Structures are given as structure tokens and as C-alpha cells.
Amino acid sequence: MTLSASPAARAAQLRALLHRYNHEYYVLDTPSVPDAEYDLRFRELCELERAHPELRSADSPSQRVGGLPLAAFGEVRHAVPMLSLNNVFSDMQADDPAQRHAELLAFDARVREGLGRERVEYAVEPKFDGLAVSLVYEDGVFVQGATRGDGSTGENVTENLRTVQSIPLRLTPPPATDLFATPLPARLEVRGEVLMLKRDFERLNADQAAAGLKVFVNPRNAAAGSLRQLDSRITASRRLAFFAYSLVEPDGADAPPSHSATMDWLQQLGFPVCRERTVVCGVEALIHEYESILERRATLPFDIDGVVYKVNAVADQHQLGFVSRAPRFAIAHKFPAEEALTVVEAITVQVGRTGAVTPVARLQPVFVGGVTVTNATLHNEDEVRRKDIRIGDTVIVRRAGDVIPEVVAAVADRRPADAAEFVMPTQCPVCGSHIVRAEDEAIARCSGGLYCSAQRKQALQHFASRRALDIEGLGEKLVDQLVEKQWVTTPADLFRLQADQLAGLDRMGDKSAQNLVQAIDVARHTRFERFIYALGIRNVGESTARDLARHFGTLDALMAADETALVAVPDVGPIVARSIVDFFAESHNRDVVADLCALGVDWPQVAATTDSYVDGVAGKTFVLTGTLPTLTRDDAKARIEAAGGKVAGSVSKKTDYVVAGDAAGSKLDKAQALGVAILDQDGLLALLGS
């Protein structure tokens, strides 16, 4: 880019460049430069404007950061009233299509009668769930923005709207076309919706919660609260979005001939318009579009609460006119509500397949999101406290798409005097084991991992996995059958299975059954660290299981260890130690372990020792890459770990050695770039002293 000599020319060049970058990023969603480049040019413009205040203009990108707080918003009287749309609803529980969409059919009949036609062309677009605003431009420059208010008078939120990156501050007229043959009118009023994208809403609530501040119920509330901040710097930080949806016909200028052409022209001017818009003919097509958008509702980046239909031809709109405070030529077809009010009758807990204990609100039945809801998740105990949900409360329940229904908030002014607080149980409602919660976790868990029926399938799959007892042929579908037939309730029951019993299962013949029984028999003889890992103790992975086996040597010693003894093991901290103690404190788990041993599960006995640790290896991190001459990767890993080292999967600054064989790839390149020590097989064996 050629730099302009004078400050004024350079400022104009930077403004044009930043306007283009903003349009690419916020409207087209196709940024042409990285954020760092944008930030560099933005800072340069700000520095120029600070050094030369006379260069600062109302349409400068620097004005989007927000200014000093206002005492209050002024009023704006709309030159043309901002009317609302009438609504139609569908009875989604009706079987007959005509009955289900009766209100829409009636609207189309009125339009056809008013125009004297058999079929009418409609523009179709999603109905945003945000706030309607009016934007006024004079000579192509944004000069005023207002909320809808009561339709006649709204609030002047110009300074806040300046901070919305997708609202153009200056318009660049497109070349004259048949869409709009005259030059850009001296005064132009565009109307649209301010909203918050789902991803920005989630980020805002996460930031609010982290700061101990109020979180917002939904994106619309967040957008409303953000747009009406007296301090526009707060609005600027909230990342609001804008979509144009209509044009107030300018005086003395020819407007585009249709709504769809108007949207195309606004897009050419630089306004973001909804991509999910189309033009169809006839009411059957309207129903198809409604059902299509409803099906895609959950996947859209913003919240919508229905579909808007507008007679496409502007001349036809004029002919139909208005009734009361709404146009005859347009209607909003509302979706089934995603939020509804109901009463919490009880709060219970359910146990997931990993042992997670989740509070669940038992509700008075309510129709929301297209289905009747009787239960809704409360996520965890902290969320119940944060939202202050109590038994007896009237609450807002939300169900979006196929998402599990959740309780969003309680309606405080409807709380009965006898509303009861939720108390997390101390024992699992499924198996009676203790419920425990680590200090650094929000989730409480059942500690009866080997015994609890809610966790049975997950525990069995882990027990039989390759890194645990490695029972070949015992996959997920077979585990499902064994559990559903109640042939296996704990891992110990696997060693009681008979071939003739298994042969009767789906896709399991005599030969397959014999092979599985043989594989189970082979798995009886394992290694101590594999057995520890197979138990599925919370926070105990392969490496920790290996350290525990080496440190304690015997199962009895491990089961008898208290937290003090456990934290003496390398890399076992208080959280892991607490998990181990909690696991063996459950008599159910100890009974299953005893049962396994009684059924012949064993391993070579090893003395408790750390003498095998090798100086220069113990505590060091190794990465293996390529093919070694005589050692397999598992052999090399086992030797390193036996000497007290650790094997990682990727190279970083914390890597001590990379062991490279033939066809070593990018890991070797990264090690060389970071200056990590590189060994071949001979170098590794020399380091290990073998």
C-alpha cells in the first residue's frame, strides 16, 4: 500500500482501509487481513487523530470505541412510525396440515383477495429475536440511531449504535443499476435488528460469571441491556450485531421495486442483511420455508423466534396498505416458544455413565420447544445456588432444538413462602455409595465406580480396554447386551461367562463365543499397573497407575494407604490421593476387587521400590519419533518409564529428549528448532545404562 504524504490524506486512506476491513470481517465474514494488521492500522489512525484533532470525523472507525457516559437518552420522533407485525401461530400438535397452519392460510387468503390473484409472490426471512432500530443517514453519513420505542417515539441511542461494528458509518453508493437508478438520497432511513450472536452471548456470560457479575438470561436480554447503556464504552465491549430488514422509502427518489431488490441494494450499500432469505410463490411454499427454517433454527448463529413473510412487490404492498398499527402485506409466523413458565415440583439427582451426579428439576408439564417437558437439567450444585432455584419456584424453562431442556432462571416475585432450597445428597440414589466432589470441580460424582449400575457399561468398557486388561473382542455392543441381560453387573462377572451362554447373543456364534472366553481367560494374568488402571479410579491414568504399582508393590499396601502415604508417590497430589482413598473406602468397590482376585485375576509380584530409577532419566520427559532399529515404541516407552522417565506425545519447551529413528518427521524438526537434545537408539540405551 502506497503511503500518503500529508496527515489528512493518510487519515482518509486509513479510514477507507479500516471501513473495508470492517465490512469484510463483520458483514461478509471473509476477512482479508489478520487481526494484528487491523489493530496496527487502527492504532495508527488513532495516533493521527490525537495529533491532529481536526482530522477526527463522525464516520471514523475510531469513534466505535464509545465515549463518556450520558446522563440520559434523548427522544427521537420517527418520521414514519415503526409499526409492529401481526402474528400467526401453528398448532404443531394438530395432525391435519390445514388445521395446523389455519392462521397462515387465512392470511394468504386475505392477501389474495386484496390483490385479486390466485397466487402471490412473498419474500421470506427469519424473524430476529432482538431489538428493532432505525438508522438515519445524511449525505451518506450515519447521523442518528433510535430504538423503536412505542412505534412513534424512541430513544436516541446514536452513540451506542456507532460502536456496533457491522453498522456502516459512511455509505458508498453502488454503481447505478435498475435496482436504484437515482443517486444516493440526501436522507436515507434504514431499519433493522440489533442482536447478539450466540457465540458472543456465551463469551459475555462466561466473562460476567468469572467477574462475579449478573449473567444474562438469553441473547435478546443481553443485547437490550447492552444497547441501552448510558456509557457507550460498555456497549462497545459487548460485540453487538446488526441486520437490516427494511428501507423507509426516500422522498423524491425511486425505491427498488420489490422487497428482495431492496435487500440486495442495502447489501450493496454495505449493510449486513440476512443470508437465509428467499422469494417464493404461494402458501404451500411458505409452509415449506417455515418448516425448513424451524428445522435449522438451532444451527443459526443468532436467535430467531419465527419467520416473516412480506408481499414482495412494493406496488402490491401499497395496494394492500395497513390495518390499525400493522401492515396488511406482512405477517410474522411465530415458532413454538423456546421458553415457557412452569413450577418446580421437586429437585432430584440423576447419575450419568461416568458417575457424574446432576441435579434435575421435576416440573409441572409445560409445552415448550415443540414438546411437553417434565424434567430439566440444573447442571450442577453451583448452578442451582447461582440461579437460586428452589422447590416450589416458578421458573423459566428453555428448550432449543434438540438441546436438553434447562431451567434458565427463577421468577423471584412468584416465589412461595414455603419454597425449599436444594440439598445435594451425600449418597448415590442408585447404589448407595458416597457422593464426592473434588475441590477444583463443579461436578459431584458417585464413588461406586465398579458397583453402581448407572456406571456399569462405562466401567466394563474401560476395564476391558487395550491399556487396561485388554480383553480382545469385548466391544461396546457386546457390553450392552451383557448388561441388558444382567449377565454382568461388575467386572468380576466377566470371568464367570461360559461359551455356550455367549453363543446365544446377537452376532455371536460358537467360535466367537469360545474366542471371547479364551480372551477373558488370558486377561486373568496381567500386570499390577494395568489392574490398577482397569479399576477406573477417578484421576488415575496409566502413568499414575504405574507409579502406584512401583511404589506400593502389592494391592493390600495400596488399598491400605492413606492420603499422606499416597502423596509420597511421584506426581500424586492431594486431588489424586483423595480420589484413591474415596474409591477404596467404598465397601462395594473393595468387594469387587476381592471377587476379581478370587476368580484368578493375578499379576507377577514385584517388590515396592524406586531403586530402578536411573539418574539422568528419572523425572525427564521423552518424545519418541520414527522407527528404532530393534526396539518397538512400546518397548522403548516401557524402559524409559521403568527408569523413572515419562513419555509424551508432542515436543515442547518442556521436552528433555527426543528419541529419533528412521523416517522421523515433524517432531524431529521441532526438536531441532527448540534445541532439544536428540538421541538415537544407542544413545537411549546408553542413557538407560543398558
Side-chain angles (χ1 to χ4, degrees):
M1 179 176 59
T2 303
L3 299 182
S4 298
S6 71
R10 179 57 178 161
Q13 187 180 49
L14 287 169
R15 282 195 293 271
L17 190 64
L18 291 170
H19 282 313
R20 178 165 69 82
Y21 290 164
N22 272 331
H23 184 69
E24 291 170 346
Y25 186 95
Y26 291 100
V27 179
L28 302 181
D29 198 22
T30 55
S32 62
V33 296
D35 291 349
E37 172 65 15
Y38 179 92
D39 293 340
L40 182 66
R41 301 305 175 195
F42 185 83
R43 286 196 298 271
E44 182 184 353
L45 176 62
C46 290
E47 290 167 3
L48 262 177
E49 291 179 344
R50 274 194 296 269
H52 303 277
E54 71 279 4
L55 298 180
R56 188 177 295 119
S57 62
D59 67 322
S60 173
S62 65
Q63 301 307 297
R64 293 193 185 275
V65 297
L68 295 175
L70 301 174
F73 295 120
E75 287 189 348
V76 171
R77 187 164 185 83
H78 301 301
V80 176
M82 292 185 71
L83 304 180
S84 58
L85 297 176
N86 287 329
N87 298 323
V88 295
F89 296 87
S90 289
D91 182 359
M92 303 306 288
Q93 296 175 295
D95 294 329
D96 178 41
Q99 182 181 354
R100 186 182 310 142
H101 301 295
E103 294 183 16
L104 175 61
L105 295 172
F107 163 75
D108 176 64
R110 290 194 300 271
V111 169
R112 288 187 289 108
E113 182 180 358
L115 296 176
R117 299 203 194 125
E118 286 298 318
R119 293 170 69 81
V120 175
E121 185 179 77
Y122 294 97
V124 182
E125 56 202 20
K127 183 179 182 298
F128 298 112
D129 193 10
L131 295 92
V133 296
S134 163
L135 310 178
V136 175
Y137 291 78
E138 293 180 355
D139 297 323
V141 177
F142 175 55
V143 295
Q144 180 181 278
T147 62
R148 178 182 177 278
D150 63 4
S152 298
T153 303
E155 292 176 310
N156 189 335
V157 289
T158 305
E159 296 311 309
N160 288 350
L161 288 171
R162 286 188 193 281
T163 72
V164 179
Q165 297 283 356
S166 51
I167 292 177
L169 298 180
R170 176 181 289 277
L171 305 179
T172 302
T177 68
D178 56 356
L179 290 182
F180 207 88
T182 59
L184 189 69
R187 186 182 190 278
L188 187 72
E189 182 176 352
V190 175
R191 291 174 178 177
E193 199 92 356
V194 168
L195 48 84
M196 186 172 288
L197 300 181
K198 293 175 182 177
R199 66 183 183 217
D200 295 325
F201 171 71
E202 291 168 1
R203 189 184 69 172
L204 172 62
N205 264 356
D207 291 344
Q208 293 283 106
L213 301 174
K214 169 192 170 184
V215 297
F216 294 94
V217 172
N218 53 47
R220 187 186 189 284
N221 286 2
S226 301
L227 186 61
R228 300 190 70 257
Q229 292 286 333
L230 293 175
D231 187 343
S232 59
R233 291 170 296 187
I234 297 176
T235 307
S237 70
R238 298 285 177 82
R239 302 191 75 162
L240 297 175
F242 171 81
F243 288 93
Y245 60 60
S246 72
L247 169 70
V248 176
E249 293 180 36
D251 293 333
D254 295 329
S258 67
H259 177 75
S260 57
T262 299
M263 293 298 97
D264 291 341
W265 185 69
L266 289 175
Q267 189 171 29
Q268 291 181 39
L269 283 180
F271 291 98
V273 296
C274 185
R275 297 176 182 176
E276 287 77 19
R277 68 186 195 279
T278 188
V279 176
V280 301
C281 192
V283 72
E284 299 85 358
L286 294 184
I287 293 172
H288 173 78
E289 288 301 317
Y290 172 83
E291 292 175 347
S292 173
I293 294 175
L294 176 58
E295 185 177 344
R296 291 181 282 123
R297 180 184 192 181
T299 67
L300 296 177
F302 40 73
D303 274 355
I304 62 174
D305 58 0
V307 183
V308 173
Y309 312 126
K310 298 177 182 177
V311 173
N312 195 34
V314 171
D316 289 345
Q317 293 181 6
H318 291 165
Q319 181 176 337
L320 291 166
F322 299 82
V323 55
S324 183
R325 296 176 59 83
R328 288 192 177 95
F329 57 81
I331 205 79
H333 193 173
K334 300 295 288 290
F335 287 149
E338 288 192 319
E339 293 184 350
L341 292 179
T342 188
V343 174
V344 177
E345 296 182 329
I347 299 177
T348 61
V349 297
Q350 66 183 18
V351 184
R353 60 189 181 91
T354 62
V357 179
T358 304
V360 176
R362 308 301 179 186
L363 308 169
Q364 286 184 2
V366 60
F367 191 76
V368 58
V371 299
T372 299
V373 171
T374 56
N375 302 314
T377 181
L378 291 166
H379 298 293
N380 56 61
E381 186 178 11
D382 289 348
E383 277 291 281
V384 178
R385 301 282 174 259
R386 183 180 67 78
K387 294 178 179 177
D388 192 20
I389 307 297
R390 304 185 188 184
I391 301 165
D393 273 347
T394 296
V395 293
I396 301 170
V397 178
R398 180 175 177 82
R399 181 185 181 272
D402 293 327
V403 176
I404 297 171
E406 68 168 333
V407 174
V408 177
V411 182
D413 58 3
R414 296 196 186 184
R415 172 167 290 164
D418 60 349
E421 293 191 20
F422 166 70
V423 178
M424 176 66 78
T426 58
Q427 290 185 305
C428 173
V430 176
C431 71
S433 299
H434 289 92
I435 292 176
V436 296
R437 177 180 169 186
E439 292 182 4
D440 64 335
E441 292 188 356
I443 302 296
R445 297 181 185 276
C446 166
S447 59
L450 293 182
Y451 176 80
C452 183
S453 61
Q455 305 173 61
R456 189 165 292 159
K457 292 181 181 180
Q458 180 82 4
L460 289 169
Q461 289 169 24
H462 175 78
F463 186 84
S465 64
R466 188 168 68 89
R467 298 292 187 180
L469 260 66
D470 192 18
I471 302 177
E472 187 175 351
L474 189 60
E476 180 180 350
K477 291 183 179 178
L478 185 53
V479 167
D480 288 346
Q481 292 187 71
L482 294 173
V483 171
E484 286 161 10
K485 289 183 176 294
Q486 297 185 2
W487 292 353
V488 175
T489 58
T490 76
D493 290 333
L494 292 170
F495 297 94
R496 297 186 173 93
L497 293 171
Q498 301 296 319
D500 57 351
Q501 177 187 18
L502 293 169
L505 295 174
D506 292 343
R507 300 182 182 180
M508 178 68 71
D510 291 338
K511 183 63 175 176
S512 297
Q514 290 171 3
N515 289 341
L516 179 57
V517 169
Q518 184 178 357
I520 292 172
D521 192 51
V522 169
R524 291 179 200 270
H525 311 294
T526 184
R527 297 201 304 268
F528 188 25
E529 62 267 26
R530 279 179 170 266
F531 181 79
I532 296 172
Y533 176 65
L535 296 179
I537 304 170
R538 182 79 180 158
N539 299 312
V540 175
E542 293 177 71
S543 178
T544 302
R546 191 164 37 251
D547 291 339
L548 292 168
R550 181 182 295 121
H551 187 89
F552 290 103
T554 68
L555 180 59
D556 287 342
L558 173 60
M559 293 174 67
D562 59 14
E563 290 185 55
T564 302
L566 287 163
V567 295
V569 180
D571 292 329
V572 172
I575 293 173
V576 177
R578 183 73 256 167
S579 296
I580 297 168
V581 169
D582 287 340
F583 181 87
F584 287 118
E586 289 297 334
S587 60
H588 307 309
N589 293 335
R590 298 174 75 95
D591 289 345
V592 175
V593 170
D595 201 10
L596 285 165
C597 294
L599 288 164
V601 178
D602 61 12
W603 49 87
Q605 296 299 312
V606 292
T609 180
T610 57
D611 293 344
S612 61
Y613 285 176
V614 175
D615 290 341
V617 177
K620 302 296 184 181
T621 299
F622 293 71
V623 172
L624 304 172
T625 182
T627 304
L628 300 177
T630 62
L631 291 177
T632 67
R633 188 164 294 192
D634 283 345
D635 288 340
K637 180 180 179 183
R639 292 194 184 201
I640 291 167
E641 290 172 342
K646 294 185 177 181
V647 178
S650 58
V651 179
S652 70
K653 293 180 180 179
K654 296 181 179 180
T655 304
D656 297 295
Y657 297 101
V658 167
V659 182
D662 291 340
S666 59
K667 292 178 182 178
L668 178 59
D669 296 336
K670 187 170 183 180
Q672 291 170 333
L674 293 174
V676 175
I678 299 168
L679 303 173
D680 58 12
Q681 178 175 298
D682 290 341
L684 173 63
L685 293 176
L687 189 64
L688 293 170
S690 59

